[in-house]
Amino acid sequence: MLDYKLVEALAVVVAEGGFEKAGRVLGLTQSAVSQRIRLLEELAGCVLLVRASPPRPTDAGRGMLTLYRQVHHLEEGLSARLGLESSGFATLAVGINADSLATWFFPVVDGFLDSEPVLLDLRVDDQAQTHALLRNGEVLGCISDRAEPMQGCSVHVLGEMHYRLYGTPAYQSRWFASGVTREGVERAPMLIFNRKDVMHAALLAQALGSEPSGYTPFYLPSSEQFAPAIGSGRVCGMLPDEQAHGPVGRGELVDLLPGHAFTVSLHWHCWNLETSVLTRFTRALVAGARRVLAEPHRVLVGSKAQASG
């Protein structure tokens, strides 16, 4: 039987990104935290933590952390059902893509957070990558573009986010006065999230028959700053309908490719844990998302790669 405090030390070192920071959280010295990790590895008979900057778990360490987080969450749920005293808050680790976080996520869970003593530990990544956070046990649930459930997890359809290519009227007049062409796309400055972002390429290939041979990229890895940057008139770029609705309604932005959209289908995946907090959060998230997101239907589906959010 493993000592729970030793496994907790491993979890905090990974979560905080270092032994010194973990010591502050646990109220221990750095050397005491290191000693707990060494003792845990001796008991497990294998290396659980790669001593890098930041430290990261090995495959065996990830498996142990998955079990730890699940047990910890089950204990919180049991305490709540039995009416036992606790720290006052339960913590839910959730994987989420940056565009959902910047647009619809908080409006649909605000009511839940107002009524429940819950702290969110949000891990931001591309919707195609959040599934790995769940698989590795780093989160209890994630918003992902994958429809297939992982073993031990359930999946719920949330809805779709539709992305279109937008620019200001002045930008359109300068670069695409006669419509969007392959040659125009190669010359016109275009806002792109990062070098993994493939959304614009997929949309333009759909609209033009094949992808342009090149772009004039302006990189900006921030979902919150995408709309203001496009609104400056310097660049065009992809925005979800949730972000573009206001500026389009005010005439500040125009759809440069009417009739063409890049669609991301979003799903909520979570571990099959019998805990009331996770169940209620799932119910609130799924119901709220289905009210504000587009209903799923078969169109071009893909992902927007986001390295940091």
Side-chain angles (χ1 to χ4, degrees), residues 184-205:
V185 167
E186 293 171 0
R187 293 183 295 105
M190 180 176 294
L191 195 63
I192 300 173
F193 190 87
N194 61 22
R195 286 167 176 79
K196 296 179 181 179
D197 189 344
V198 298
M199 185 178 296
H200 58 287
L203 180 72
L204 288 165

Side-chain angles (χ1 to χ4, degrees), residues 3 12 72 77 79 86 92 101 114 141 167 185 205-206 221 224 257 266 283 290:
D3 189 329
V12 176
H72 182 68
S79 295
S86 66
L92 286 177
L101 182 59
D114 287 341
V185 167
Q206 179 199 72
E224 291 82 358
L257 289 171
L266 296 177
R283 187 182 302 122
R290 289 178 180 176

Side-chain angles (χ1 to χ4, degrees), residues 30-49:
Q30 181 176 343
S31 61
V33 175
S34 181
Q35 184 177 4
R36 288 190 179 187
I37 300 298
R38 285 198 300 270
L39 180 56
L40 180 63
E41 290 177 327
E42 290 175 5
L43 292 172
C46 61
V47 175
L48 301 172
L49 190 69

Side-chain angles (χ1 to χ4, degrees), residues 2 17 55 62 74 84 131 133 137 156 160 172 182 197 217 248 255 277 282 285 302:
L2 296 177
R62 282 193 291 271
L74 286 169
L84 301 178
H131 210 257
L133 299 174
H156 307 266
E160 296 180 340
Q172 183 183 42
R182 192 182 313 278
D197 189 344
V248 170
D255 184 353
V277 172
T282 294
L285 176 67

Side-chain angles (χ1 to χ4, degrees), residues 105-155:
F105 177 74
F106 274 113
V108 305
V109 300
D110 272 345
F112 172 85
L113 295 175
D114 287 341
S115 62
E116 299 274 355
V118 170
L119 301 174
L120 294 180
D121 180 1
L122 298 177
R123 315 289 177 88
V124 181
D125 208 331
D126 172 53
Q127 61 265 9
Q129 304 301 322
T130 53
H131 210 257
L133 299 174
L134 183 67
R135 184 178 61 249
N136 293 336
E138 297 179 48
V139 297
L140 291 168
C142 72
I143 295 171
S144 169
D145 64 1
R146 290 185 55 173
E148 306 81 12
M150 189 175 69
Q151 185 175 3
C153 296
S154 58
V155 59

Side-chain angles (χ1 to χ4, degrees), residues 4-302:
Y4 195 76
K5 289 185 178 180
L6 304 184
V7 185
E8 180 186 36
L10 175 65
V12 176
V13 167
V14 172
E16 298 297 323
F19 288 84
E20 184 177 351
K21 293 179 180 178
R24 288 198 292 267
V25 172
L26 295 171
L28 300 171
T29 64
Q30 181 176 343
S31 61
V33 175
S34 181
Q35 184 177 4
R36 288 190 179 187
I37 300 298
R38 285 198 300 270
L39 180 56
L40 180 63
E41 290 177 327
E42 290 175 5
L43 292 172
C46 61
V47 175
L48 301 172
L49 190 69
V50 177
R51 273 69 168 178
S53 184
R56 62 181 187 275
T58 63
D59 289 343
R62 282 193 291 271
M64 187 171 292
L65 289 176
T66 298
L67 180 61
Y68 165 79
R69 293 181 180 114
Q70 292 178 354
V71 170
H72 182 68
H73 194 67
L74 286 169
E75 287 181 344
E76 288 183 334
L78 179 61
S79 295
R81 286 197 297 271
L82 296 179
L84 301 178
E85 290 187 7
S86 66
S87 61
F89 288 94
T91 298
L92 286 177
V94 173
I96 185 171
N97 60 307
D99 285 343
S100 292
L101 182 59
T103 54
W104 61 267
F105 177 74
F106 274 113
V108 305
V109 300
D110 272 345
F112 172 85
L113 295 175
D114 287 341
S115 62
E116 299 274 355
V118 170
L119 301 174
L120 294 180
D121 180 1
L122 298 177
R123 315 289 177 88
V124 181
D125 208 331
D126 172 53
Q127 61 265 9
Q129 304 301 322
T130 53
H131 210 257
L133 299 174
L134 183 67
R135 184 178 61 249
N136 293 336
E138 297 179 48
V139 297
L140 291 168
C142 72
I143 295 171
S144 169
D145 64 1
R146 290 185 55 173
E148 306 81 12
M150 189 175 69
Q151 185 175 3
C153 296
S154 58
V155 59
H156 307 266
V157 175
L158 295 178
E160 296 180 340
M161 294 184 72
H162 301 306
Y163 293 77
R164 307 175 203 277
L165 185 65
Y166 291 101
T168 63
Y171 180 95
Q172 183 183 42
S173 297
R174 179 178 180 183
W175 296 104
F176 301 124
S178 300
V180 177
T181 63
R182 192 182 313 278
E183 294 75 17
V185 167
E186 293 171 0
R187 293 183 295 105
M190 180 176 294
L191 195 63
I192 300 173
F193 190 87
N194 61 22
R195 286 167 176 79
K196 296 179 181 179
D197 189 344
V198 298
M199 185 178 296
H200 58 287
L203 180 72
L204 288 165
Q206 179 199 72
L208 302 176
S210 62
E211 184 183 354
S213 59
Y215 303 94
T216 304
F218 186 122
Y219 293 108
L220 178 61
S222 169
S223 292
E224 291 82 358
Q225 293 302 314
F226 246 62
I230 295 170
S232 72
R234 301 185 186 95
V235 292
C236 66
M238 303 284 292
L239 287 174
D241 290 347
E242 291 80 2
Q243 276 184 306
H245 179 74
V248 170
R250 295 188 296 269
E252 298 167 3
L253 295 179
V254 294
D255 184 353
L256 299 176
L257 289 171
H260 295 278
F262 182 92
T263 298
V264 175
S265 297
L266 296 177
H267 303 77
W268 169 247
H269 297 256
C270 61
W271 287 102
N272 290 324
L273 300 177
E274 294 297 326
T275 67
S276 57
V277 172
L278 182 58
T279 299
R280 291 195 298 273
F281 178 79
T282 294
R283 187 182 302 122
L285 176 67
V286 173
R290 289 178 180 176
R291 285 195 301 269
V292 301
L293 296 178
E295 293 184 10
H297 61 285
R298 290 188 174 276
V299 290
L300 177 66
V301 177

